[in-house]
Amino acid sequence: MTSYRPIEEGVATDLRGELTYASYLRLDELLSAQQPVSDHHDEMLFIVQHQVTELWLKQLIHELRSAIALLGADDGAPALKRLARVKAIQKQMFEQWSVLETLTPVEYLQFRDQLGRASGFQSPQYRTVEFLLGNKNPAMIEVFAHDDALHDQLAADLAGPSLYDAFLAHLARQGHDVPADVLERDFSQPYEAHPGVVEVFRRVYAAPDEFWEAYETCEELVDVEEGFQLWRFRHLKTVERIIGHKRGTGGSSGVGFLRRALDLTFFPELLEVRTEL
């Protein structure tokens, strides 16, 4: 056994003028983005946790936009690959909460007031993910009225088809009897469950061999919804553990606000059809 390992012959060591690991990833910018507003040791964890979450949200958006486009082009197989990656990202985001849970209530209170009214509720990427998955609420974009570019992008995502809208349109083009009023609805408004869509899914689930791609996509969407709900629940329990039932920094009721989000569903008929089978 030895504690010394020489550099292998052939490993590049003279990197002057080269694209390096640090320059490719812009580590100088990335690692200088953590700017605590207090001198408390644990604020660094709070910042890193949320910045990492924002990076994963960026990747989720990248995958969801691609999945929507692929379904719009009736290219189902790579869309399923995108959803598989979405699920893997969701697992990473879920497990992250265990790190933040090492922050005790007393530790958080020592820098919480320094955050002002800044809140995760104000995350434009989180709102984008919810819009892309189908939780449409026009009032939500009012939070971003102070930033024209963000407001316009969110307004576009609000008005565009969600992942579920794209899937239902894809099913219609494949010959499934998706109701016309579902396909032609105002995408900026919250989706309302339709018995005709339940019937479409009942037929798919009754004959998986005949409708295998649709059947598999349905189950992938159920997985994505469950993963998102588990993330929401873990968020709620982390907040409850750290601040109890205090109001959120952004003015929400805190735990109560997060608990009500658990009643929201992205793909209602995919749950309803289970009762009909």
Side-chain angles (χ1 to χ4, degrees):
M1 298 290 292
T2 178
S3 60
Y4 172 73
R5 184 183 65 170
I7 297 177
E8 292 180 352
E9 185 178 350
V11 172
T13 56
D14 184 0
L15 299 172
R16 285 171 292 187
E18 301 268 357
L19 178 68
T20 66
Y21 177 84
S23 62
Y24 174 64
L25 295 178
R26 299 190 180 183
L27 293 185
D28 55 342
E29 298 175 42
L30 183 65
L31 299 181
S32 64
Q34 296 74 47
Q35 300 290 329
V37 295
S38 76
D39 59 2
H40 195 279
H41 172 82
D42 293 313
E43 191 187 348
M44 181 64 74
L45 166 62
F46 193 79
I47 293 173
V48 168
Q49 170 92 18
H50 287 83
Q51 288 184 342
V52 170
T53 296
E54 288 294 332
L55 287 172
W56 281 129
L57 288 173
K58 182 172 185 176
Q59 190 65 35
L60 274 181
I61 291 167
H62 184 61
E63 302 299 337
L64 289 171
R65 289 198 194 284
S66 178
I68 291 170
L70 288 165
L71 288 172
D74 295 327
D75 200 356
L80 289 173
K81 172 64 175 176
R82 304 295 188 267
L83 296 182
R85 185 173 290 162
V86 164
K87 294 192 299 180
I89 294 169
Q90 288 177 311
K91 290 179 182 177
Q92 292 293 318
M93 293 175 64
F94 178 86
E95 292 299 335
Q96 268 182 217
W97 290 117
S98 64
V99 185
L100 193 61
E101 285 174 346
T102 65
L103 181 67
T104 69
V106 173
E107 290 164 346
Y108 181 47
L109 284 173
Q110 291 179 45
F111 66 85
R112 185 179 191 242
D113 286 347
Q114 301 295 315
L115 305 180
R117 294 197 294 174
S119 165
F121 179 78
Q122 300 155 9
S123 166
Q125 291 201 125
Y126 175 78
R127 197 58 52 203
T128 297
V129 168
E130 287 232 333
F131 285 175
L132 294 178
L133 286 174
N135 182 18
K136 301 293 186 75
N137 183 344
M140 290 296 184
I141 65 173
E142 295 174 10
V143 177
F144 305 94
H146 64 283
D147 187 316
D148 290 342
L150 281 178
H151 184 275
D152 291 348
Q153 179 60 64
L154 284 164
D157 288 324
L158 179 71
S162 69
L163 178 64
Y164 198 45
D165 293 319
F167 179 49
L168 293 177
H170 168 70
L171 289 177
R173 290 190 297 272
Q174 301 305 304
H176 295 277
D177 192 19
V178 180
D181 53 338
V182 170
L183 299 173
E184 297 165 4
R185 73 184 194 87
D186 179 355
F187 295 137
S188 69
Q189 297 303 307
Y191 181 85
E192 295 184 10
H194 194 294
V197 175
V198 176
E199 177 58 22
V200 169
F201 290 144
R202 190 197 64 76
R203 290 183 65 248
V204 168
Y205 276 87
D209 291 340
E210 182 180 356
F211 305 117
W212 179 257
E213 183 190 282
Y215 174 78
E216 185 178 7
T217 307
C218 286
E219 286 298 288
E220 288 289 316
L221 291 177
V222 171
D223 286 345
V224 168
E225 167 128 8
E226 182 176 318
F228 202 88
Q229 290 287 50
L230 289 172
W231 184 85
R232 279 173 168 163
F233 181 73
R234 190 71 183 273
H235 182 194
L236 181 157
K237 298 306 290 184
T238 300
V239 170
E240 184 177 54
R241 175 175 177 153
I242 296 176
I243 70 168
H245 290 267
K246 293 183 180 69
R247 296 193 72 84
T249 49
S252 77
S253 57
V255 167
F257 177 78
L258 296 174
R259 182 171 285 118
R260 287 192 295 276
L262 296 176
D263 293 329
L264 300 173
T265 179
F266 298 122
F267 320 126
E269 293 95 345
L270 285 175
L271 300 179
E272 290 183 26
V273 73
R274 281 149 166 76
T275 306
E276 302 297 325
L277 295 176

